[in-house]
């Protein structure tokens, strides 16, 4: 090699700053700097042509042996005579140093890597201990650890290979019939095929590159993933809903248990009080009998004592020889003794017949009252705040400012005929509707001769003739003529009440299909609609009815719940 060319090559590797750290320069070296452009590998016996390009000695010699012209493969400079090539010792030393650094790096990398664990893909090139593979090559069909992967990252012809995350069974990526890589996707048979399959077994089918089908399927998987996420979210929400239901059920169970303990404790105390009263009544009768008997016995014993004294005197006198003394004492002894006629006197045991029956009957009445009170307390815990809706009120109705009272004024007011307003009957609804759960409200009906109370569907007829019944969306109880009570059950059910209610409680269990009416003051159940099917929003319904000549002027009053019944 000429001095000029050597200088060119040396200058190409020289640094512009004499103070540059050589170790930093070495760290910038890569395989491309020492690559032969013919064999695309690191130089072996590097030589330099007169044009300044470097090749493996064997590669450039073989190249010139196969061509008529002797020219540089890189710049195409033609040489009149074949140059006499000598090994460039500088490049040779640099290549040797590069190989040494590469080996050290590979050795260091190998020492840092860990052996493949069960379930991890091992390196196919490692001998002895198989290190964990970092990539798999779809062209080589081999998996490589860091050190054995290096050529695929630095060598140009290997850089073209397709690397993926390490996978097992790379042979499954080869066509079992033609031993060729699976590179195409047959859309007709929905399977992966090789190039030969496409021209032989599947020649009439539709094909796309694996990457194209991959992108399509990946997009589908994205949609599927979103759908699955939505399904997961729905199920997680359902889980939370069920947990909340269980919590609500547990809370309800705890309340019921506490209430049950309270009720049965009260019942137990009532039974114990009843038993104490029964025993006391029986004992009192027995004590009275014993006291009376003791008095009789005391009187009899006193008389017996007196009679025994008289008997002794009579006996003594009868044996007397003193004629005068006997005659003088005879009159006083012969007189009737001071005794009472005990013939009709007797001690009769007290009669206990009916005592237990009366006690049990009284206990049953007490328990019945307690049970009624407990039942009313139980439904009162679902009390809601009800306010009248003026937009639904019949034009003759007069509502209080707070929306808690209503009565009929017998004067037709000019109001908008909106769809919600009742026009034929004196009805008004509560503002709030209910479509689930339980609710309770109570209304004062004192002083009225007519009224109608209950709940109704939001879809009921508000303009024309209405027959209140469950079939028409009404669950109500009404009073007429001052003392006639009926449940509007279609046909109506006549109710016989023990007393006139002054406050009426209305309880609804939407899911159970139950509407119950209570006399709040006596805690008595007035009537229950059971097995109802609502299927709509329910509204509290109030009808104070007409004035009945002034007799029915008192208002219906929505009153607060007092649970001290």
């Amino acid at each position: 090699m000429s001095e000029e060319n050597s200088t060119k090559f040396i200058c190409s590797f020289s640094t512009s700053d004499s103070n540059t750290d050589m170790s930093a320069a070495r760290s910038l070296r890569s395989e491309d700097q020492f690559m032969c452009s013919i064999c695309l590998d690191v130089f072996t016996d590097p030589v330099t042509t007169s044009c300044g390009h470097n090749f493996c000695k064997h590669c450039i010699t073989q190249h010139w042996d196969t061509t008529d012209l002797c020219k540089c493969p890189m710049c195409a400079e033609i040489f009149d005579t074949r140059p006499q090539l000598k090994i460039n010792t500088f490049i040779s030393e640099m290549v040797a140093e590069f190989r040494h650094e590469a080996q050290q790096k590979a050795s260091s990398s190998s020492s840092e890597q860990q052996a493949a664990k069960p379930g991890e893909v091992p390196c196919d090139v490692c001998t002895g201990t198989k290190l964990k593979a970092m990539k798999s090559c779809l062209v080589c069909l081999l998996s490589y650890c860091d050190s054995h992967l290096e050529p695929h990252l630095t060598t140009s012809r290997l850089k073209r290979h397709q690397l993926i995350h390490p996978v097992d069974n790379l042979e499954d990526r080869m066509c079992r019939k033609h031993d060729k890589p699976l590179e195409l996707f047959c859309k007709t048979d929905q399977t992966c095929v090789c190039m030969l399959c496409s021209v032989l077994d599947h020649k009439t089918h539709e094909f796309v590159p694996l990457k194209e089908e991959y992108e399509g399927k990946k997009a589908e998987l994205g949609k599927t993933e979103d759908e699955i996420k939505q399904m997961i979210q729905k199920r997680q929400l359902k889980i939370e809903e069920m947990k909340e239901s269980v919590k609500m059920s547990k809370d309800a169970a705890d309340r019921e248990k506490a209430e049950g303990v309270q009720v049965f404790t009260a019942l137990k105390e009532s039974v114990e009080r009843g038993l104490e009263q029964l025993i006391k009544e029986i004992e009192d009768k027995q004590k009275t009998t014993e006291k009376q008997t003791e008095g009789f016995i005391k009187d009899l014993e006193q008389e017996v004592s007196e009679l025994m004294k008289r008997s002794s005197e009579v006996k003594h006198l009868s044996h007397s020889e003193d004629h005068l003394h006997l005659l003088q004492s005879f009159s006083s002894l012969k007189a009737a003794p001071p005794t009472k006629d005990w013939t009709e006197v007797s001690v009769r045991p007290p009669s206990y017949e009916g005592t237990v029956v009366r006690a049990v009957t009284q206990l049953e009445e007490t328990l019945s009252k307690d049970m009624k009170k407990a039942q009313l307390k139980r439904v009162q815990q679902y009390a809601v705040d009800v306010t009248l809706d003026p937009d639904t009120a019949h034009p003759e109705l007069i509502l209080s400012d707070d929306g808690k009272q209503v009565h009929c004024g017998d004067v037709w007011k000019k109001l908008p005929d909106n769809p919600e307003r009742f026009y034929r009957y004196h009805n008004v609804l509560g503002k709030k509707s209910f479509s689930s759960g339980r609710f309770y409200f109570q209304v004062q009906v004192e002083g009225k001769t007519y009224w109608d109370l209950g709940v109704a569907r939001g879809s009921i007829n508000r303009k024309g003739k209405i027959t209140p019944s469950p079939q028409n969306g009404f669950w109500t109880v009404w009073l007429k003529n001052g003392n006639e009570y009926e449940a509007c059950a279609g046909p109506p059910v006549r109710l016989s009440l023990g007393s006139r209610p002054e406050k009426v409680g209305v309880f609804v269990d939407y899911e159970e299909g139950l509407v119950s009416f209570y006399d709040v003051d006596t805690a008595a159940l007035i009537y229950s609609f059971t097995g109802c099917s609502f299927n709509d929003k329910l509204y509290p319904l109030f009808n104070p009815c007409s004035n009945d000549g002034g007799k029915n002027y008192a208002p219906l009053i929505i009153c607060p719940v007092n649970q001290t019944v």
Side-chain angles (χ1 to χ4, degrees), residues 247-462:
K247 181 179 180 300
M248 292 174 62
S249 175
K250 184 179 182 303
D251 292 342
D254 291 341
R255 286 196 302 271
E256 288 295 320
K257 285 192 291 185
E259 191 172 312
V261 169
Q262 182 180 1
V263 170
F264 276 88
T265 299
L267 294 180
K268 179 182 176 183
E269 291 173 353
S270 295
V271 171
E272 289 174 349
R273 285 196 301 271
L275 179 60
E276 289 176 0
Q277 291 173 358
L278 174 63
I279 293 174
K280 185 176 183 302
E281 181 181 352
I282 294 173
E283 289 178 347
D284 287 347
K285 286 184 177 182
Q286 178 61 22
K287 285 180 181 179
T288 300
T289 302
E290 289 177 357
K291 187 174 182 180
Q292 183 183 34
T293 303
E294 288 174 359
F296 289 158
I297 291 174
K298 185 176 181 181
D299 292 344
L300 286 169
E301 287 177 344
Q302 185 175 355
E303 291 187 7
V304 168
S305 177
E306 292 177 356
L307 290 173
M308 289 180 68
K309 180 179 178 182
R310 182 179 290 266
S311 175
S312 176
E313 292 177 352
V314 170
K315 183 178 180 181
H316 177 74
L317 185 60
S318 65
H319 290 87
S320 175
E321 297 294 333
D322 187 343
H323 303 145
L324 178 61
H325 175 69
L326 187 147
L327 293 173
Q328 289 177 339
S329 302
F330 182 80
S331 298
S332 60
L333 291 174
K334 186 65 176 174
T339 59
K340 183 170 68 174
D341 184 5
W342 292 91
T343 306
E344 302 298 329
V345 178
S346 64
V347 176
R348 296 180 181 180
S351 174
Y352 298 108
E353 185 176 353
T355 303
V356 175
V357 174
R358 285 194 302 273
V360 171
T361 301
Q362 185 177 357
L363 178 60
E364 287 178 347
E365 292 175 355
T366 302
L367 293 180
S368 177
K369 290 179 180 179
D370 291 343
M371 289 298 295
K372 289 177 181 178
K373 291 178 180 179
Q375 174 63 15
L376 183 57
K377 281 185 178 181
R378 190 182 73 83
V379 300
Q380 282 180 333
Q381 67 180 318
Y382 300 103
V384 294
D385 184 19
V386 176
T387 305
L388 301 173
D389 184 358
D391 291 338
T392 66
H394 183 276
E396 290 185 354
L397 296 183
I398 299 174
L399 277 60
S400 63
D401 292 339
D402 63 359
K404 297 293 184 180
Q405 300 185 28
V406 58
H407 68 277
C408 182
D410 283 342
V411 176
W412 189 282
K413 298 189 294 293
K414 293 182 179 180
L415 297 173
D417 185 12
N418 50 290
E420 296 84 9
R421 190 177 306 284
F422 290 92
Y423 255 62
R424 188 179 182 95
Y425 297 95
H426 295 88
N427 291 330
V428 59
L429 299 181
K431 285 184 177 181
K432 185 177 180 181
S433 65
F434 301 88
S435 56
S436 64
R438 302 168 181 174
F439 63 95
Y440 172 88
F441 61 95
Q442 57 190 31
V443 183
Q444 180 177 310
V445 297
E446 183 180 4
K448 295 191 68 61
T449 56
Y450 288 84
W451 53 259
D452 190 6
L453 285 175
V455 293
R457 288 197 189 105
S459 58
I460 56 174
N461 178 10
R462 307 190 186 196

Side-chain angles (χ1 to χ4, degrees), residues 227-242:
E227 292 174 357
I228 292 174
K229 285 181 179 178
Q230 291 179 0
M231 293 172 68
I232 291 172
Q233 289 176 352
K234 288 181 180 179
R235 281 151 181 77
Q236 288 175 337
L237 289 174
K238 181 59 69 174
I239 290 172
E240 293 303 319
E241 180 183 324
M242 290 181 174

